[in-house]
Amino acid sequence: MRIVYADNNATTQVAPEVYEAMIPFFTENYFNPSSMYEPARSTAEVVARSREGIARHLGAGDPKQILFTSCASESNNTAIQGVVKANPTRRHIITTSVEHPAVLEVCRDIERGGFDVTFLSVDQDGNLDLREFVRALRPDTLLVTVMHANNETGVIFPVAELARITKETDSKIVFHTDATQSIGKLPIDLQREYRHVDLLSFSGHKLHAPKGIGALYIRRGTPCRPLLIGGHQEGGRRAGTENVPYIVALAKAMDLAMANLDEEQTKVRQLRDRLETSLAERISHIQINGKAAPRLPNTSNVSCYSIEGESMLFELSEYGICASSGSACTSGTLEPSHVLRALNVPFMAVHGSIRFSFSRYNTDDDIDRIIEIFPEIVTRLRRASPYWDAKTNIPRQSAEDTVHAKNS
Ligand code: PLP
């Protein structure tokens, strides 16, 4: 069966060029970059060159500000916990209610340890309220951690502006962003527009490098203590022998993404937009979540009233179409997504949400296939749904939505 892979916000295929680039570092140049003999010194140089390349793509200046980690979750943990460990006095953190669990759960954990955490809300399009943000900044605020682009809806937050406002209010507040979904999709320049960002996290497997490699940008002078303590690798900021093949892979993946950023993202946007237009023509009672906000070009989060996201996923997978419902990392649970709940998506729609996310490897044929199959599935599932009125072809009002409508 032909597979249509439309779940690129969960993970991506390793690019063939990336795979090629990393192989010699398993089989020939396998040395520990900290060893003193000549072949190992050349391995250390390769790590240094990879770091330089990544720093250049991010406009980061000094490459020493790039720290290699194992994944974005580790980068986020290092950033947030590292700042908390380095600052014993301030005890307030600002984040948003739509972060990935790799930020949200870390903040909740710190909250349980006695910190105050403000979880900013979003409006129904997924946008933050800048006035609410300004009001949340306090004299004891230690850290602001706001994601760049949302993994479920693709909605982009104005991180450069939020970082500027933060620093203009109090230059001692540390600003972190989880840029896992935006790296390789949006241009970032840490010395220009994003110069007020102190910490930036991402991982390789969202941009065609393998799973198991991530990075954290730490602006020089940012108070942030290490999470992994032991050897002196990574300038003493993360113990553990460097994962050389994967570091090479991450650098190569960034070279590829940045070389064709505009062209690729335009192509991906066209695919995504064609899908959304066609689905809206063919399926009644759907909504595209986050459509009115600035969004990543590759992400489409579609809610179909009166059916279950999990049933849609199951049916799609019977046809070889891979997508996701809720957060990629939590799919498999039947709880509606915390992100869509934060957007106040009505009860009847929030359960029937599905995310398609594309990459440079998707084609027009993939989109045609989804357009051919998906509306049929929706019709079939609605016929069997107690929440769908088959006579009038409209959703039955749910008790939850009646309460919701009365209260809003
Ligand atoms: N942050 C965001 C926004 C993500 O989308 C993800 C993964 O989906 C992560 C963090 C965690 O990434 P990793 O799997 O590299 O730890």
Side-chain angles (χ1 to χ4, degrees), residues 164-177:
R164 180 184 56 76
I165 294 171
T166 303
K167 293 293 176 176
E168 280 173 6
T169 307
D170 178 350
S171 62
K172 288 210 168 61
I173 301 175
V174 178
F175 193 99
H176 167 247
T177 188

Side-chain angles (χ1 to χ4, degrees), residues 8-11 69-77 98-103 147-152 178-182 185 201-206 210-214 327-330 355:
N8 287 274
N9 286 9
T11 198
T69 65
S70 63
C71 59
S73 300
E74 185 193 327
S75 301
N76 287 335
N77 272 270
V98 295
E99 298 294 311
H100 187 274
V103 166
M147 72 199 316
H148 195 195
N150 190 275
N151 44 303
E152 292 191 37
D178 175 1
T180 307
Q181 291 293 346
S182 58
K185 296 176 193 143
S201 306
F202 61 102
S203 65
H205 73 105
K206 311 289 182 180
K211 296 161 233 349
I213 182 74
S327 169
C329 308
T330 54
R355 179 190 69 187

Side-chain angles (χ1 to χ4, degrees), residues 276 279-280 283-288 302-305 378 382:
E276 289 187 347
L279 294 185
I283 307 172
S284 73
H285 298 90
I286 64 167
Q287 67 182 51
I288 313 286
V302 184
S303 284
C304 300
Y305 278 71
V378 173
R382 277 181 174 164

Side-chain angles (χ1 to χ4, degrees), residues 287-363:
Q287 67 182 51
I288 313 286
N289 300 307
K291 192 172 167 50
R295 251 189 325 159
L296 289 176
N298 80 319
T299 308
S300 184
N301 191 306
V302 184
S303 284
C304 300
Y305 278 71
S306 308
I307 42 182
E308 265 293 340
E310 302 299 315
S311 316
M312 284 193 280
L313 277 190
F314 179 74
E315 296 261 340
L316 281 170
S317 82
E318 298 280 290
Y319 292 91
I321 299 172
C322 310
S324 110
S325 76
S327 169
C329 308
T330 54
S331 72
T333 72
L334 284 173
E335 275 294 294
S337 134
H338 71 286
V339 175
L340 299 184
R341 267 184 296 153
L343 266 69
N344 235 344
V345 175
F347 173 84
M348 293 289 271
V350 78
H351 284 274
S353 299
I354 195 148
R355 179 190 69 187
F356 298 102
S357 50
F358 300 104
S359 81
R360 73 170 76 113
Y361 296 114
N362 286 108
T363 61

